[in-house]
Amino acid sequence: MEFTSILFYVFSLFFVGSSFVMITSRNTAKAALWLILTFFSAASLWLLLEAEFLAITLILIYVGAVMVLFMFVIKMLDTEESTLRAQFTRYLPLGIFVSLVVIVQMALVLNAGPFDLESVGMPEQHGASYSNITAIAQQLYTVYVYPFELAAILLLIAIIAAITLVHRTQVNSKKQNITEQINVQAKDRMRFASINKKSKKESK
Amino acid sequence: MLNIYLTIVLAPLIGSIVVGLAGNQLGRTLSHSITILGVAISTVLSLYVFNHHVLNDADIFNQNIYTWMQIGGLNISVGFLVDNLTSVMLVVVSFVSLMVHIYTIGYMHDDKGYTKFFSYISLFTFAMFTLVISNNFMQLFFGWEAVGLVSYLLIGFWHHKESAIEANLKAFLVNRVGDFGFLLGIALVLMFFGTLDYAEAFSQKDQIIGQTLFGGSAITVVCLLLFVGAMGKSAQVPLHVWLPGSMEGPTPISALIHAATMVTAGIFMVSRMSPLFELSDTALMVVMIIGAITALFMGLLGIVQNDIKRVVAYSTLSQLGYMTVALGVSAYSVAIFHLMTHAFFKALLFLAAGSVIVALHHEQDIRKMGGLRKKMPITYITSLLGTLALIGFPGFAGFYSKDMIIEAVHYSDLPYAGWAYVAVLIGVFITAFYSLRLLFLVFHGESRVDSHTEEHLHETGSSITVPLILLAIPSVVIGYLTIEPMLFGGWLDNAITIDSSHQAVAELKGHFYSAFALLTHSVVTPPFWMMVGGAVSAWVFCLYRPDWADQIQSRFKRTNYVLNSLYGFDRLNDIVFVKGSVKLGNLLWKISDMTLIDKVIVNGSAKLARYLGVLIRPVQTGYVYHYAFFMIVSLMLVLGWVLIASDYSFFG
Amino acid sequence: MIALSDYLILSSIVFCIGLAGIFINRTNIIMILMCVELILAAVNTNFIAFSFYGSDLAGQIFVFFILTVAAAEVAIGLAILTLMYRNRGSIDIDVTNTLKG
């Protein structure tokens, strides 16, 4: 057993285990924490696959930003546990069954196909001076520069969308609502007030 | 020469258009002068063309003038084919048209639509010329339809008269039935020969001999369909029902269209198509039989008619039957000969009838006429000459043509030719009977005319009588003069093809010596004695013992009823076709339109869409996890399907 | 030696766990979103495995973009969630079925 194989099994155990615990946890905040552990195991796996840049990126951005966002929202909103647990056990068997079936199917497919060690072969490991970032950058800014720009625009749109969705107050604009103005009736603008006869005499 | 042909065809058209558009402004005199001038030019030029082609034996002129359209390999164009047959027809049509134009000046004198009438009859002349001078089927069909159209317009000329409107619609519809068959025939010609041009089609005619269509010989089907068109136009049984109704139109058009020209278009067409008809004995036999039926039975109807124009109309139908019989026995030149003589004497008879009608202030019932010969001498004499020509009195034009037809039928060896011979022979008797009955009842005997009318009774004006005289002359002499050259001298040889198996005309030629010999020989032939028998019977029943006629009428009530109801054709058409069409329309409306299309298809498809929508709607539950679940389950199913479809190759 | 198929099976297991998570935790929108993140993680692993074993850097580039898109998606998803909570008072999924047919 090579060391990398042992590492692979350890990390994948964490990966699968923490994801399983995450989905079965009752507390949303705890689920988020288990998800963070899942991401860490994924990043380790990626390191094994010589994708250092992406592994670090996963930690920094995904865990560092996205999961923090998740925590914000979880703490901000009131997640009632009672209603959320109500139908948990009812669909559990069916969900597990469907997932198991899909896993088995995938295993069958993947084992039989051209994904074996014999067909694919081990790729050569790069030396220590191999820089993943440089390699990615060389591809990203030349061949894939167009999707890169599009991704940037996509993020911009996401920002604008998120802001537009959430901000409460209308921008102060002196806009006329013509329909409302036309539909005004006298009773909206005027009301008859009755003046007491007594007070009238008094004022005189 | 092309310019001459163009002038012949276009002069009446120009006259018609000018008078049609500006008639009211031009006034009556100028209108009739323009149209008469147009037709007169055509007449003179037609005589010149006749001289050029027939008497001087010029070459056939066949040229496309204007290409109307080119569809793939098919070229449809306006073209002229002028050979001897065309020349003869041109002369006949233009001369009779000119006579009718002159006659109309007097006849329609009191009518409000004077200029319109002249425009129409000139238009008709143009259409007839187009038909006759055409060198391809399409132009023939154009002329065919155009004469039908103008006939419709003219029959219903007095459009405030309800009977006229019914009659013109009937004429048009029956013609349409014939035209439908004709068009199918033309389509088959196109299918088999690939061209609509006469010369090209006829040059390929031998290819069609062995082919079959729907189980029958192809050429027979084609010829029969073409003949259906001729049946419609030339009023053969059973498409004859429109001709008596067409008498609702003014008499000039009865003379022009329904005696001399339009109804002969069918005869002309079959003669023109002689190369095709000669290939099919069956078609010729059918033609002969239908002609014989028409000749005999329509003549019988002429005996019981009481309207002066209807008698002449049924006479026309009967004579058309004679021409058709001649066509059937491959005696095309005899048929054309009879066409020519008939045009002259029948137009004469119609115009004379019109003269009588005008003199009696539009009285048409012959039971209210009588003894007119003293007061209307010219009309009487010309009518007498025409009648003698019609019944085949020896020496007159009709004698030569009818006798030739009868003998040709006698010599023919087609099946049923014997029966046809008997029919046309009896027809001579009947023809003589009704013609002389008409003459006697109108001009002889005591006057049964209304006394008020009788005071004003006088011969009609010269514009009416001059055409009568001019038509009487050919009725007398043209038979004698033209029989030998036309039938046996090869006048029509370059237009007509006769197959060697049809020997009728050849036998005629063998027995012919000269026109004079025919005249003197006539007293021993059966037709002569038939005619005499008919004449004597007419004299007996109309002048000598009129009460015997009434007795026979009361004794033979059933026969009388059958004849008076015109063999029930009108009633049959009414019940089967008219009422049947109305019922069919109602049925289709109720079932097909209302139920099938509206309810089932239109409403039904909307209901189906709604039903399906109602079925599918519950899938959209609104819960996202339901949607996700469906997606997952579908994924599972697809994966399972792929695994199974790959033949379980994942095991091992 | 670890073969490509091992990474792929791993990735499909986690994928199915994520699916099951969606199915089980359907009432809680936040849990759903987190399960979606899980699925994306599994898919990313898949891509990187292929990129490693196929010696083609395109897989990693694609993961790069998936990360970008996932971040954007989470941002907007959470914004919608906040809005929903604000308008309806809870994040119970039974109140969000107004798209019902």
Side-chain angles (χ1 to χ4, degrees), chain B residues 338-412:
Chain B
H338 192 57
L339 189 158
M340 184 178 75
T341 58
H342 174 265
F344 293 125
F345 61 68
K346 194 48 65 72
L348 168 63
L349 282 174
F350 264 115
L351 293 183
S355 165
V356 168
I357 292 172
V358 158
L360 292 177
H361 293 297
H362 293 281
E363 173 60 62
Q364 294 188 254
D365 192 333
I366 59 177
R367 293 172 293 194
K368 297 205 182 108
M369 303 177 190
L372 290 177
R373 69 181 157 151
K374 302 185 195 77
K375 304 250 178 139
M376 304 178 67
I378 302 181
T379 311
Y380 171 62
I381 293 180
T382 50
S383 302
L384 179 64
L385 292 175
T387 308
L388 289 176
L390 173 59
I391 65 175
F393 195 83
F396 286 75
F399 161 73
Y400 288 108
S401 54
K402 267 215 309 209
D403 269 30
M404 284 296 107
I405 293 179
I406 296 172
E407 285 206 35
V409 178
H410 189 50
Y411 291 134
S412 166

Side-chain angles (χ1 to χ4, degrees), chain B residues 617-618 620-629 632 635, chain C residues 15 19 22-23 26 32 93-94 96-101:
Chain B
R617 199 175 65 174
Q620 298 287 325
T621 55
Y623 297 126
V624 176
Y625 60 90
H626 279 163
Y627 304 153
F629 180 59
I632 298 168
L635 173 68
Chain C
F15 184 86
L19 282 183
I22 290 183
F23 197 60
R26 68 173 69 78
I32 292 178
I93 204 149
D94 284 331
T96 58
N97 64 348
T98 48
L99 275 180
K100 184 174 172 172

